Amino acid sequence: MAGMDAFIDRLDPDMCVVTAAADGERAGCLVGFACQCSIEPMRYVVWLSKANRTYRVARTADRLAVHLLTREQRDLAELFGGETGDRTDKFARVRTRREAGGAVVLEDAAAWFVGTVVSRTDGGDHVGFFLEPQTWGAREDTAQTPLLRLSDAVSISPGHPAD
């Protein structure tokens, strides 16, 4: 795959935090694999690592919440990317609220949406959760602030190993 690195290394996607709530549990993680995947009907896909707790909670969740962060919110990225929910209650450190169907929304996120899980696809070490947006919101005071990108988060040590 060394040749593919020349392509992949040029990408600098937006990072997001995905939260899941199901069966009395909640979890969240920093995600670098996510994008709109359909215009009509509107669909968005987030890819969760099979190694982390968020995936385990999301497997039975009806809805997921997807949050955009600004570059100034690196602390949130470090919390959700550098800590594991297996050892840390990440939500004890942030302001949250429940939205559609009990989804957990991070109140300080620059923008967010809650989506109904319409399908799941195994992609290897990640599973794609295809979402139909239900409800959404954004903070007006962050509208012109650059979003957190992979290059901003690359130094965050993951809370879980990749495998």
Side-chain angles (χ1 to χ4, degrees):
M1 293 301 272
M4 191 64 183
D5 289 346
F7 180 88
I8 299 296
D9 288 349
R10 292 178 181 215
L11 302 177
D12 194 15
D14 294 331
M15 301 296 288
C16 58
V17 171
V18 175
T19 58
D23 304 322
E25 294 187 81
R26 57 188 182 176
C29 65
L30 187 65
V31 171
F33 303 147
C35 68
Q36 182 179 341
C37 59
S38 175
I39 297 170
E40 187 58 46
M42 171 59 77
R43 296 283 190 272
Y44 197 87
V45 63
V46 295
W47 295 88
L48 301 179
S49 169
K50 293 177 183 178
N52 79 37
R53 184 170 184 276
T54 304
Y55 165 71
R56 293 191 306 271
V57 174
R59 286 185 303 192
T60 58
D62 296 344
R63 294 168 182 83
L64 300 178
V66 180
H67 308 81
L68 294 176
L69 305 178
T70 67
R71 287 184 181 155
E72 296 168 354
Q73 294 177 304
R74 185 180 164 89
D75 57 333
L76 279 175
E78 288 175 352
L79 175 62
F80 283 91
E83 300 285 337
T84 173
D86 292 326
R87 292 188 298 269
T88 303
D89 180 3
K90 300 174 191 181
F91 298 96
R93 301 186 199 172
V94 296
R95 296 181 324 128
T96 63
R97 71 174 179 277
R98 294 290 182 152
E99 280 288 339
V104 180
V105 171
L106 305 177
E107 291 191 9
D108 294 323
W112 59 272
F113 79 89
V114 173
T116 302
V117 178
V118 293
S119 66
R120 296 169 178 88
T121 298
D122 191 314
D125 60 3
H126 284 65
V127 171
F129 289 76
F130 292 79
L131 307 173
E132 180 178 322
Q134 267 190 309
T135 186
W136 47 85
R139 288 182 38 208
E140 291 297 321
D141 62 323
T142 62
Q144 300 302 313
T145 307
L147 294 176
L148 183 81
R149 301 180 71 84
L150 176 61
S151 59
D152 302 315
V154 72
S155 63
I156 297 172
S157 297
H160 264 293
D163 51 10

